């Protein structure tokens, strides 16, 4: 079993929709929870991070961590075509553990 | 800062040839990671270094792969001999040892024919 599980999608939504991306994990020792965004033919870039449990908001993006359920989420409000990318969740203990990525397509 | 620098950006080589990928981490970062990304397997960690010392190379697929970090500003990933199944995008990333902020380079797209 992989330490981090993520639905690969693809996920296709109309512009303006609310998007929910999710990951589950198995190791309760994880403290840092990150979301990376990767555009086609580019390297992943850090979008948001959360330390321990709780919510964090940054503009149209909200990251949520539920350590009791070992479940993290990224919500995108008012999605835009420019949000079309692959989103990878990640966690750090000693090294970084990445999900497989969810490919998102926001249609104009 | 220029960010993480990788070279070459693209490499096409024939099976059996030696391939060397290069990485310059962000100045001041003391952890360096090498990843491989494919459609089938996603992003895989190959090896990582703390303060130039290899800490975990359990992701290195075979003895054909080797990595070095002779100093804080340079690392190489070598494949010898290369095989078609090594075709992938190879990313280098750097961060502080206890930091969550991992910065990726643009990647090297390797094609082995």
């Amino acid at each position: 079993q992989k330490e981090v599980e993520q639905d690969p999608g693809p996920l296709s939504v109309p512009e303006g929709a609310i998007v929910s991306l999710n990951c589950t994990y198995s190791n309760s020792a994880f403290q840092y929870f990150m979301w990376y965004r990767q555009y086609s033919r580019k390297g992943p870039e850090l979008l948001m991070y959360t330390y321990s449990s709780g919510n964090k908001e940054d503009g149209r993006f909200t990251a949520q961590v539920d350590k009791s359920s070992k479940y993290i989420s990224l919500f995108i409000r008012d999605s835009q075509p420019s949000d079309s990318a692959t989103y990878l969740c990640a966690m750090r203990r000693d090294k970084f553990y990445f999900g497989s990525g969810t490919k998102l397509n926001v249609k104009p | 800062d220029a960010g993480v620098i990788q070279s070459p950006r693209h490499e096409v080589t024939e099976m059996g040839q030696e391939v060397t990928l290069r990485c310059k981490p962000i100045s001041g970062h003391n952890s360096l990671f090498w990843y491989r990304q494919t459609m089938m397997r996603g992003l895989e960690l190959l090896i990582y270094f703390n303060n130039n010392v290899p800490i975990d190379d359990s992701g290195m697929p075979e003895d054909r792969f080797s990595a070095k970090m002779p100093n804080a500003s340079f690392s190489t990933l070598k494949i010898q001999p290369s095989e078609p199944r090594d075709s992938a995008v190879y990313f280098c990333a750097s961060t502080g040892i206890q930091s969550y902020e991992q910065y990726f380079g643009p990647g090297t797209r390797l094609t082995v024919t």
Side-chain angles (χ1 to χ4, degrees):
Chain A
Q1 182 190 3
K2 293 184 71 174
E3 298 228 28
V4 180
E5 298 280 358
Q6 183 176 9
D7 187 338
L11 186 61
S12 186
V13 301
E15 183 176 352
I18 296 174
V19 176
S20 173
L21 305 168
N22 310 293
C23 288
T24 59
Y25 63 95
S26 57
N27 193 323
S28 58
F30 289 135
Q31 292 291 337
Y32 286 107
F33 303 89
M34 287 76 71
W35 286 95
Y36 286 77
R37 179 175 60 195
Q38 185 177 20
Y39 290 114
S40 180
R41 294 185 172 267
K42 301 286 187 183
E45 57 178 345
L46 181 65
L47 187 62
M48 292 186 71
Y49 86 95
T50 309
Y51 178 74
S52 195
S53 279
N55 292 1
K56 186 171 186 177
E57 189 173 318
D58 184 1
R60 296 184 294 109
F61 298 87
T62 300
Q64 202 170 74
V65 175
D66 181 348
K67 293 192 76 176
S68 62
S69 302
K70 298 191 179 68
Y71 190 86
I72 70 170
S73 301
L74 178 70
F75 299 96
I76 307 174
R77 291 185 300 279
D78 187 25
S79 56
Q80 302 294 309
S82 59
D83 296 328
S84 298
T86 297
Y87 291 80
L88 300 102
C89 62
M91 297 151 204
R92 184 169 198 186
R93 191 176 67 238
D94 45 356
K95 55 193 177 186
F96 288 78
Y97 296 82
F98 281 85
S100 56
T102 300
K103 189 169 185 178
L104 172 66
N105 180 36
V106 182
K107 299 173 292 185
Chain B
D1 199 319
V4 176
I5 299 172
Q6 289 187 249
S7 65
R9 294 292 307 275
H10 303 272
E11 178 81 28
V12 180
T13 191
E14 292 183 348
M15 183 174 65
Q17 297 298 306
E18 178 179 294
V19 175
T20 299
L21 311 181
R22 297 174 177 80
C23 175
K24 177 178 168 56
I26 291 173
S27 177
H29 282 185
N30 43 21
S31 290
L32 183 139
F33 302 77
W34 281 102
Y35 293 91
R36 177 172 68 177
Q37 188 176 43
T38 61
M39 290 290 290
M40 290 294 294
R41 301 175 68 89
L43 193 66
E44 300 175 279
L45 176 66
L46 300 176
I47 185 171
Y48 80 98
F49 297 83
N50 282 348
N51 294 321
N52 314 334
V53 176
I55 302 299
D56 185 343
D57 66 353
S58 60
M60 297 285 261
E62 300 169 32
D63 291 345
R64 299 185 296 108
F65 286 69
S66 62
K68 293 182 181 179
M69 192 165 185
N71 57 62
S73 58
F74 184 67
S75 178
T76 59
L77 178 68
K78 187 175 292 186
I79 308 172
Q80 166 63 23
S82 58
E83 297 184 3
R85 59 192 168 125
D86 301 330
S87 298
V89 181
Y90 290 80
F91 289 105
C92 175
S94 71
T95 185
I97 285 182
Q98 293 300 326
S99 175
Y100 60 86
E101 288 192 276
Q102 186 173 69
Y103 291 88
F104 282 78
T108 296
R109 186 170 295 271
L110 174 65
T111 302
V112 183
T113 60

